[in-house]
Amino acid sequence: MITPSVAYADVAVGYEDRGLTVGADQWMKDSVTGNLVRAEPGTVSTDPNEYKYELQCHLGGGDFDTPCLARQLDCKDREDGAKGIPVMWLSRPRGVPGAVWAHHSGPTCLYDPKPEDLLPRIAADIQRQFQNLPVSAGAVVAQPSPNTLRGAETNFYAEAAEQQFDITMFGQKVHVVATPVQYTWNYGDGTVFGPQPSMGGPLPQDRWGEKTRTSHAYASTGDFQVVLTTSFQGTYSVNSGPPLPIPGQGQFNAPPQTISVWRSLTRNYADDCNANPQGQGCPGVGG
């Protein structure tokens, strides 16, 4: 299961920069109230500054200030149904090459009558979406298989690969990349190995029986169900925007692989089956 955590995407003015399909996004001071409002297309502003907002606790790069989140402004929905988000307003001189954004005001609640900012909603739901994707955990391969010997090292390895998915969230196109990073082996006899980063690898047949990073020796005979759990890390991008990390890891199980553990017997015989066709172990003769 995926580990819950608080996360939001990088949110700032200029939806078009992140590909959100809500049109142009320009902000200006209202000449009457002095509040920052969304400018209608074609509006000409005489304000020497331009403005943008960022989420109150945003640090950049998809990261957030965790202590800040604990005291983040609580923006309750208005009676008219408008959604509020806690923001800090930034400004910079308009048309000045190299001008940097600086704090202007806030924190304050932004109630936007135009389409709401969907990036925080996508970020808050991306973990659940990631865990519910049809990610293939890969396959379990055993050497030897399907039968092995009690007390001998059986080499297990995983066949897992990076996977990509295109989904729609809140009407936006989201591209998800899932990369395998850790593996947990349940050998079916009560022994569990992992999580650890090695997926193992194949051995040539003349080396079967050697101990490897992911091999296992069974102490008893019988049929055992071997289950591989693969942990994936993910990234997501909204409408071809930059990739952002999905907090935590998604864990996915591969189909069980049945391994039959046999015992071996060693006997010495005085002659071979050519000399004694009726000898024990010869074709047609019971053991």
Side-chain angles (χ1 to χ4, degrees):
M1 113 173 2
I2 207 156
T3 304
S5 65
V6 178
Y8 293 97
D10 179 10
V11 180
V13 68
Y15 293 101
E16 68 279 7
D17 295 337
R18 301 296 299 276
L20 288 174
T21 55
V22 297
D25 194 3
Q26 300 292 330
W27 299 87
M28 59 180 289
K29 276 188 178 181
D30 185 283
S31 59
V32 177
T33 65
N35 295 331
L36 290 165
V37 296
R38 188 189 300 272
E40 295 296 332
T43 300
V44 177
S45 174
T46 58
D47 194 317
N49 295 322
E50 56 182 336
Y51 305 90
K52 73 172 184 177
Y53 69 86
E54 292 181 348
L55 290 180
Q56 178 183 345
C57 298
H58 173 63
L59 292 177
D63 297 325
F64 273 71
D65 180 353
T66 303
C68 175
L69 290 172
R71 59 179 186 275
Q72 183 172 255
L73 196 62
D74 183 16
C75 295
K76 300 183 181 301
D77 295 349
R78 290 192 320 207
E79 292 183 359
D80 62 4
K83 305 291 185 180
I85 55 174
V87 301
M88 304 291 288
W89 285 101
L90 307 177
S91 66
R92 69 179 179 184
R94 188 186 306 276
V96 177
V100 298
W101 293 100
H103 177 264
H104 175 268
S105 61
T108 186
C109 293
L110 172 62
Y111 293 93
D112 186 3
K114 297 297 180 69
E116 66 178 306
D117 192 339
L118 295 174
L119 291 176
R121 293 181 61 188
I122 292 173
D125 196 47
I126 191 63
Q127 292 176 318
R128 183 184 65 82
Q129 291 283 347
F130 183 44
Q131 184 65 57
N132 290 333
L133 288 174
V135 176
S136 171
V140 178
V141 181
Q143 296 177 313
S145 177
N147 307 313
T148 189
L149 294 177
R150 180 183 64 184
E153 293 288 343
T154 303
N155 181 45
F156 292 96
Y157 65 93
E159 292 180 336
E162 179 182 282
Q163 295 153 68
Q164 301 188 29
F165 303 88
D166 290 302
I167 60 177
T168 300
M169 295 180 64
F170 307 107
Q172 307 301 317
K173 296 179 180 179
V174 179
H175 183 71
V176 177
V177 179
T179 305
V181 291
Q182 287 190 316
Y183 307 86
T184 300
W185 302 89
N186 187 327
Y187 296 111
D189 62 350
T191 305
V192 177
F193 175 53
Q196 48 83 44
S198 175
M199 66 188 304
L203 289 175
Q205 188 169 354
D206 60 0
R207 293 177 55 192
W208 286 6
E210 290 184 11
K211 184 175 180 60
T212 67
R213 173 74 172 166
T214 55
S215 67
H216 181 61
Y218 289 91
S220 59
T221 59
D223 292 336
F224 300 92
Q225 296 289 307
V226 182
V227 177
L228 167 70
T229 300
T230 306
S231 298
F232 286 79
Q233 284 185 340
T235 62
Y236 72 103
S237 58
V238 180
N239 295 332
S240 302
L244 298 168
I246 299 175
Q249 294 181 353
Q251 296 182 344
F252 303 87
N253 292 332
Q257 170 76 26
T258 301
I259 190 78
S260 295
V261 181
W262 295 359
R263 64 189 178 97
S264 62
L265 296 175
T266 302
R267 293 190 175 97
N268 294 322
Y269 297 97
D271 44 32
D272 60 24
C273 292
N274 290 324
N276 182 14
Q278 300 304 312
Q280 188 174 24
C282 291
V285 179

